Amino acid sequence: MSRLPVVAVVGAPNVGKSSLVNRIMRRRGAVVSERPGTTRDRAYNRAEWAGREFTLVDTGGMEPRAKVGLEALVTLQARVAVEEADVVLHLTDARLGVTEADAVIARELRRARGQAVLAVNKLDNPADDMERHGFYSLGEGEPHAISALHGLGVGDLLDVVVSLLPPSDQDAEEELPRLAIVGRPNVGKSTLLNRLLGKDRAVVSETAGTTTDAVAAEIALELEGETERYLLLDTAGVSKGARRARGVPYYSSLRTSEAIRRSDVSLLLLDATDGIVAGDLRIAREIEDAGSSCGVVVNKRDLVPPDLLREIEGLILARLTDLKPQSVRVSALTGAGVDQVLPLAARVGRAYRLRVPTHEVAEFVGDTVARSAPPRGVKIRYATQTGTTPPRFTLFANRPQDLPESYLRYIENALRQEYGLWGVSVRIRVKSSR
Ligand code: GDP
């Protein structure tokens, strides 16, 4: 499936990265109603400008918890951005002028595969334009003046950014979908991976596709007689390159985040002996925010009684209300239950890519509305699927604003039941039918 191009915002702390990201996100096309709960304050955002969609990365959001110097911090940010972005937006602060941190970033960006765009923030007053000229010295081309706070210059800046994105390619559809087994260190990722692949062929090929994907194997998933091919990502660090960084918590969490964003299906692996801990919830949240899809795999069931397993499942499912995933219980060590893992992944993947013919959606939603009507005076006239990965639907109603959230949830649940939409977010918009 095709990936969205990536735009990363880098810059020293406090130059206004998050303000800029928030400003850009607020310009998204008019959405009459969308399921709440998909927070916008995460490091990865889906943005749109001039008809182009892209992933907007706020690298300020990935500052490691460990105290590191400013230079190390901006270097790391810039490297991450350079690694994955098609366009890197280097944000600077007019009030500070060119700083040491800017010079460090400029140096890193010279190695970028993607293009860099320089923006000078906090130019709230066009009369201050002279401030901008000093930034030519960074050697990153024209410094674009903006005020993230007031929105000045942001549209022009986005025009430049969008013009540098690689051409959108429908042909990228050919790429195989990706499956990632994600979880905290020691939950059993590599044990499970080895189990799934057979001990002696743990890593089939080191890399494939993009430079940052370490792929453990290409696998075939069988579901109802149909075979689907997937790339299974090496999230456990069983490959040689990744092994070096294995054990370094920041890098393992970075690898997890990357895998989640790059994968179509994430299997969240939990260690039943730990119950649910903060790290699990953080990863769960990342999966929801990434717009990926997910299944839950509770590991080490050989060590934990069934009632506790049930409790753990209940806890995690209560957190993943946007995705409503299914779960399976396994022991990667003994192999018990492991044969349920890939079928789970296949079901989730299928739900994620679901496409329902238009007349069928309209009919099904029509029946659902007939069974329990919306509040008096509101008429749902039509329904259609408007997107996939994950599935999106649009309802057309005479008075969209009067359709309560609870009613949308009723429709959502009906769609989930009917089409087996477990482990995917189901977005429903309502538009005016007039
Ligand atoms: P990773 O860091 O997530 O890749 O975790 P590992 O696969 O390295 O596993 C961490 C530890 O948990 C190892 O000592 C495994 O042997 C152990 N382990 C993994 N799965 C199971 C399981 O199902 N049951 C038990 N008892 N131990 C397990």
Side-chain angles (χ1 to χ4, degrees):
M1 58 159 290
S2 65
R3 315 249 128 222
L4 289 182
V6 174
V7 176
V9 182
V10 300
N14 296 320
V15 297
K17 293 187 291 299
S18 301
S19 310
L20 177 60
V21 168
N22 290 338
R23 171 61 67 178
I24 295 172
M25 295 316 296
R26 250 183 284 138
R27 296 188 172 226
R28 295 170 87 247
V31 175
V32 182
S33 162
E34 194 164 6
R35 297 249 307 104
T38 34
T39 41
R40 294 276 165 240
D41 59 345
R42 313 301 297 171
Y44 298 91
N45 303 276
R46 201 175 177 126
E48 187 186 330
W49 181 252
R52 281 304 303 275
E53 267 199 303
F54 52 92
T55 300
L56 185 63
V57 183
D58 177 1
T59 57
M62 51 171 69
E63 289 168 10
R65 249 157 298 170
K67 285 246 185 310
V68 294
L70 178 61
E71 173 162 343
L73 179 63
V74 293
T75 306
L76 183 61
Q77 261 184 35
R79 293 220 170 126
V80 170
V82 162
E83 189 73 20
E84 63 178 9
D86 298 285
V87 175
V88 180
L89 227 172
H90 178 186
L91 192 63
T92 60
D93 184 339
R95 297 193 187 151
L96 300 177
V98 177
T99 63
E100 190 50 39
D102 292 329
V104 170
I105 292 171
R107 198 177 62 219
E108 289 298 326
L109 296 191
R110 248 164 255 144
R111 283 187 278 229
R113 136 185 98 83
Q115 313 245 22
V117 176
L118 180 61
V120 185
N121 190 26
K122 308 192 187 175
L123 280 167
D124 304 339
N125 182 344
D128 297 337
D129 190 54
M130 282 308 291
E131 317 272 352
R132 188 170 71 86
H133 291 274
F135 289 88
Y136 274 104
S137 69
L138 286 171
E140 292 179 76
E142 186 185 350
H144 301 273
I146 64 164
S147 164
L149 199 60
H150 302 291
L152 300 171
V154 174
D156 291 343
L157 179 66
L158 287 174
D159 285 343
V160 173
V161 166
V162 164
S163 75
L164 296 173
L165 294 178
S168 69
D169 50 342
Q170 258 66 37
D171 328 325
E173 295 285 341
E174 281 312 295
E175 250 181 80
L176 287 183
R178 292 166 160 76
L179 168 63
I181 296 171
V182 297
R184 290 179 295 110
N186 293 317
V187 295
K189 292 183 295 300
S190 49
T191 310
L192 180 60
L193 214 63
N194 285 328
R195 213 4 105 195
L196 290 173
L197 300 177
K199 276 262 185 283
D200 37 28
R201 44 177 289 249
V203 179
V204 177
S205 63
E206 285 263 303
T207 53
T210 70
T211 47
T212 41
D213 282 348
V215 171
E218 190 182 316
I219 52 173
L221 306 185
E222 305 257 349
L223 189 64
E224 292 156 11
E226 280 179 47
T227 305
E228 286 160 16
R229 284 154 63 231
Y230 274 79
L231 291 180
L232 180 55
L233 300 190
D234 176 18
T235 40
V238 291
S239 76
K240 238 206 272 137
R243 207 177 294 138
R244 257 181 284 125
R246 192 177 149 96
V248 180
Y250 181 60
Y251 283 99
S252 82
S253 94
L254 200 63
R255 193 169 51 235
T256 304
S257 308
E258 249 179 50
I260 289 170
R261 278 177 307 106
R262 287 178 193 282
S263 64
D264 302 271
V265 179
S266 302
L267 291 181
L268 174 59
L269 191 63
L270 301 170
D271 182 339
T273 62
D274 292 338
I276 302 287
V277 301
D280 299 321
L281 296 178
R282 190 182 53 74
I283 296 173
R285 177 103 175 254
E286 267 185 78
I287 295 174
E288 287 213 324
D289 289 347
S292 172
S293 62
C294 139
V296 172
V297 181
V298 183
N299 189 28
K300 309 196 186 178
R301 74 173 215 197
D302 52 309
L303 299 176
V304 168
D307 53 336
L308 200 52
L309 291 171
R310 207 169 310 120
E311 196 176 312
I312 289 169
E313 283 169 330
L315 283 171
I316 196 72
L317 299 188
R319 291 302 189 113
L320 289 165
T321 49
D322 196 33
L323 293 176
K324 294 200 165 48
Q326 294 179 324
S327 68
V328 297
R329 304 165 184 182
V330 306
S331 169
L333 195 66
T334 67
V338 167
D339 58 353
Q340 304 170 73
V341 173
L342 293 181
L344 171 67
R347 287 198 301 276
V348 174
R350 184 168 291 183
Y352 189 60
R353 291 191 311 274
L354 178 84
R355 278 178 202 280
V356 189
T358 295
H359 69 272
E360 208 183 305
V361 181
E363 232 167 81
F364 177 73
V365 172
D367 291 349
T368 306
V369 169
R371 241 180 296 135
S372 168
R376 192 199 284 272
V378 183
K379 294 233 162 1
I380 294 174
R381 303 200 192 277
Y382 193 66
T384 182
Q385 184 175 358
T386 37
T388 181
T389 68
R392 285 178 287 249
F393 299 88
T394 301
L395 308 181
F396 293 86
N398 60 341
R399 289 177 7 211
Q401 66 285 0
D402 293 337
L403 208 53
E405 190 56 38
S406 59
Y407 195 79
L408 290 182
R409 243 185 319 264
Y410 162 67
I411 302 272
E412 174 195 319
N413 285 329
L415 287 165
R416 284 190 192 275
Q417 295 284 353
E418 176 73 8
Y419 296 108
L421 298 176
W422 309 114
V424 301
S425 81
V426 174
R427 306 210 179 121
I428 301 181
R429 294 178 176 194
V430 188
K431 288 192 168 166
S432 170
S433 57
R434 293 179 196 189

